[in-house]
Amino acid sequence: MEPSKSLELHYLRREVLSARDRGRVVIEFADGAPITNLTEARQMADQMIAMVNIPMLGPHWFPVDRERAGLILAAVLHWDLETQWPSVPLAQATELTEKILSQFPVDAYYLTNVRPSADLSKSPHRWASGSESAELDAGVAIVSGELIGLLWVEDRP
């Protein structure tokens, strides 16, 4: 990775981490690798998620399009998943989401643990992983030949 790109991603990571003052927020980037199919993209996403001590999802990564990935990213930044109170103002969450997505080519693989049919306008208890008594978590991995990224949020009761 070019030093200038690494520095840009470092500043983006700091901006995201400082925006959300509650819960565990993980944002990581790594050099991409040649991928030719969804299985390889899931394996790369699992490598990223394992690196930050979150259980791998394997076939439970759901592929989504770029627009849906953006909606999920904005939602996990905006909402405290456990309390359902805004954590980051929606405009700021949307701006951060756009900055993250702009780092990747449009033909990247977008993977998430949020079911494709989940209604993000409903309570995070309905679409994030977890339960009333356990932490809720949700995130997106983006995999391309140039760059791999992960944004994951966990909120605990």
Side-chain angles (χ1 to χ4, degrees):
M1 183 180 311
E2 295 280 327
S4 60
K5 183 67 164 183
S6 182
L7 185 62
E8 180 183 355
L9 295 173
H10 170 75
Y11 285 128
L12 177 56
R13 182 182 299 112
R14 279 187 31 191
E15 190 175 357
V16 169
L17 293 174
S18 66
R20 210 168 186 284
D21 62 355
R22 189 171 189 278
R24 177 183 181 204
V25 179
V26 174
I27 180 167
E28 291 294 335
F29 299 98
D31 285 322
I35 51 171
T36 59
N37 59 51
L38 180 58
T39 300
E40 291 174 351
R42 284 179 168 142
Q43 290 169 348
M44 298 301 289
D46 270 344
Q47 288 177 13
M48 284 295 286
I49 207 166
M51 184 173 72
V52 294
N53 295 322
I54 298 173
M56 294 186 288
L57 297 176
H60 302 288
W61 283 109
F62 298 108
V64 293
D65 63 22
R66 185 181 183 99
E67 181 180 349
R68 176 73 172 174
L71 293 172
I72 293 167
L73 288 170
V76 299
L77 288 170
H78 176 61
W79 295 110
D80 179 305
L81 301 177
E82 197 275 321
T83 65
Q84 303 172 47
W85 285 95
S87 183
V88 175
L90 185 56
Q92 184 181 10
T94 301
E95 179 184 339
L96 290 169
T97 295
E98 290 171 10
K99 287 181 180 182
I100 292 167
L101 292 177
S102 73
Q103 303 299 318
F104 297 89
V106 293
D107 63 346
Y109 286 89
Y110 300 88
L111 305 164
T112 182
N113 66 324
V114 177
R115 294 197 180 278
S117 61
D119 184 350
L120 298 176
S121 68
K122 299 205 182 291
S123 162
H125 286 98
R126 305 205 60 159
W127 51 263
S129 297
S131 66
E132 297 289 333
S133 60
E135 67 196 24
L136 293 174
D137 67 330
V140 172
I142 306 170
V143 180
S144 74
E146 298 83 38
L147 185 66
I148 301 169
L150 174 72
L151 176 76
W152 202 264
V153 174
E154 293 177 344
D155 287 316
R156 292 186 166 92

